[in-house]
Amino acid sequence: MVRLSDRQRFDWLRLARTEGVGPLTFRSLVNRFGGASAALEALPGLSARAKRPLLPPTEREIEAELREAERLGARLLGYGEADYPALLREIDAPPPVIALRGSLACLEKPTIGIVGSRNASALGRKIAGRFAADLAAAGYIIVSGLARGIDAEAHRASLATGTIAVLAGGLDRPYPPEHVDLMEEIVGSGLVISERPFGLAPRGRDFPRRNRVISGLSRGIIVVEAARRSGSLITARFANEQGREVFAVPGSPFDPRAEGPNDLIRDGAMLVGNARDVIAALEPRDGLPSRLPGLFSEPLEDDEGLFEEWAEGADAFGENSHLGFGQAPAPPQDRRAALLGALSASPIEVDALTRQLGLSLADLQGLLFELELEGLLQRHPGNRVSRAFFDQAKTG
């Protein structure tokens, strides 16, 4: 487990709050430079190289956020610390830093997510409430997103035993605003979590980020009423990618709010009609090992790290390294052009790229890192990458 000093926590927070540094880039930087402090010092050079601003917040801004956390009684946890949620640690892109208010004891119990339509029917609300209450009575902690409709119903039905709300904005900016009182009730017996800075009002792109945390915190996701194009189905997709169970409550084929769950069932999600169905499906998973038992540590000591491109003697972008198979080194721009030509919108394994391009893993990972900083690369679970075209870059 990582044990962050106050200074390390400060640096982690500052690096995590840098615009353009997402969870995967954060991980790359920490592994490359051996810590957040060194990564922050390297940002100006990386920014100039990538021709993309990577400007961390000022130290005064981070000090203000730490004061706000103290005022609200919140904790800021870095990935890998002892109290960081174990399930969330398993996903491919865990938030480097999360803010929490409430009882951390909720994280010691089994969790299940319940999500669904904001414009839920009365029956949908009743179903969500029944699932939440029965699962809570069976010892499960309910996870949801504090939204109107299904989310709020699931939280309210499980307040007595503790529920976890994941926010899209900062801990001090719940959405919708009318759920401030509900959030405070949750803090009293449960937990509220956000990976976003204090003071940030949620934007459209922040909700998918929140949804991956909802599924990441949960052993499974139950979808109760959801249109075909909805955030609830994004959560279900994340759950499937993260190896979680996906459950769906069927509904009338004439109700657009049932199209999402019905489609999920058709595509292989488990149809559930009550909490017993969910519990029966989850119990065999008890005791299963984590899929990803750890991603990085600070400082980097004997660990070779996830990213083998940072071999000693190779620069950050692979320009001083050589092609594999005894070939003479190609000019950097030629290697870059070849890589861009090999990438498409469909993900491909990094190992396959090394074989196809005849590059060493160290050279390839350096080039991938450069493209990532420029917003031209998208990473996927399973050590896969794809070309991030402009529409993808804007939404990622």
Side-chain angles (χ1 to χ4, degrees), residues 4-87:
L4 297 180
S5 66
D6 290 343
R7 184 65 225 186
Q8 286 177 314
R9 195 180 313 279
F10 187 99
D11 292 334
W12 272 48
L13 186 60
R14 193 173 179 219
L15 183 61
R17 298 294 188 245
T18 300
E19 189 69 26
V21 175
L24 290 172
T25 303
F26 181 99
R27 185 177 70 189
S28 297
L29 289 168
V30 169
N31 274 295
R32 164 65 180 90
F33 297 103
S37 177
L40 286 166
E41 292 179 4
L43 281 184
L46 293 173
S47 182
R49 174 64 182 160
K51 298 180 181 179
R52 177 185 180 192
L54 294 169
L55 299 175
T58 65
E59 293 200 356
R60 182 172 297 180
E61 289 174 306
I62 299 302
E63 289 167 355
E65 183 166 357
L66 291 171
R67 286 195 300 270
E68 183 66 7
E70 184 177 2
R71 185 185 71 82
L72 291 174
R75 289 188 62 183
L76 290 161
L77 287 177
Y79 167 85
E81 291 197 272
D83 289 331
Y84 192 97
L87 279 176

Side-chain angles (χ1 to χ4, degrees), residues 322-330 357-359:
H322 301 281
L323 292 172
F325 308 107
Q327 302 177 41
L357 297 175
L359 288 168

Side-chain angles (χ1 to χ4, degrees), residues 280-304:
L282 289 177
E283 281 182 340
R285 294 180 63 88
D286 286 342
L288 292 181
S290 299
R291 294 187 305 118
L292 300 173
L295 298 178
F296 57 78
S297 61
E298 181 179 346
L300 198 64
E301 297 175 344
D302 295 332
D303 184 7
E304 294 180 358

Side-chain angles (χ1 to χ4, degrees), residues 87-322:
L87 279 176
L88 189 60
R89 189 184 300 130
E90 294 179 6
I91 71 174
D92 287 296
V97 179
I98 54 174
L100 310 93
R101 287 185 65 203
S103 172
L104 295 180
C106 289
L107 300 174
E108 299 172 3
K109 300 179 181 179
T111 50
I112 183 76
I114 299 179
V115 297
S117 175
R118 293 187 298 272
N119 184 30
S121 68
L123 178 59
R125 291 172 183 265
K126 180 179 179 180
I127 290 171
R130 176 62 62 84
F131 267 93
D134 290 350
L135 286 165
Y140 284 83
I141 296 295
I142 305 303
V143 184
S144 198
L146 201 70
R148 300 181 181 98
I150 298 300
D151 289 23
E153 203 67 37
H155 286 309
R156 291 190 178 103
S158 54
L159 276 172
T161 53
T163 179
I164 298 175
V166 184
L167 305 189
L171 276 190
D172 55 343
R173 298 296 294 272
Y175 184 87
E178 63 264 26
H179 283 175
V180 170
D181 291 342
L182 175 58
M183 183 185 73
E184 293 301 327
E185 288 186 81
I186 292 171
V187 169
S189 58
L191 195 62
V192 180
I193 296 178
S194 174
E195 66 173 314
R196 307 303 287 147
F198 287 91
L200 177 71
R203 305 154 294 181
R205 63 184 180 183
D206 293 316
F207 288 93
R209 294 179 63 141
R210 175 204 64 179
N211 295 346
R212 96 184 192 292
V213 175
I214 292 173
S215 58
L217 286 166
S218 307
R219 297 175 61 192
I221 291 290
I222 304 170
V223 180
V224 184
E225 292 193 344
R228 282 199 171 103
R229 295 178 60 84
S230 68
S232 299
L233 296 194
I234 293 175
T235 308
R237 187 193 74 206
F238 280 130
N240 184 58
E241 291 175 353
Q242 294 163 353
R244 312 311 198 220
E245 296 287 353
V246 179
F247 306 101
V249 179
S252 167
F254 302 107
D255 188 345
R257 289 170 295 198
E259 290 176 346
N262 289 347
D263 287 352
L264 287 173
I265 293 168
R266 181 196 64 207
D267 294 338
M270 183 175 295
L271 184 157
V272 290
N274 53 55
R276 293 190 301 276
D277 295 339
V278 176
I279 294 169
L282 289 177
E283 281 182 340
R285 294 180 63 88
D286 286 342
L288 292 181
S290 299
R291 294 187 305 118
L292 300 173
L295 298 178
F296 57 78
S297 61
E298 181 179 346
L300 198 64
E301 297 175 344
D302 295 332
D303 184 7
E304 294 180 358
L306 288 173
F307 292 87
E308 297 175 359
E309 75 274 24
W310 310 123
E312 186 176 355
D315 74 10
F317 300 103
E319 293 184 1
N320 297 330
S321 301
H322 301 281

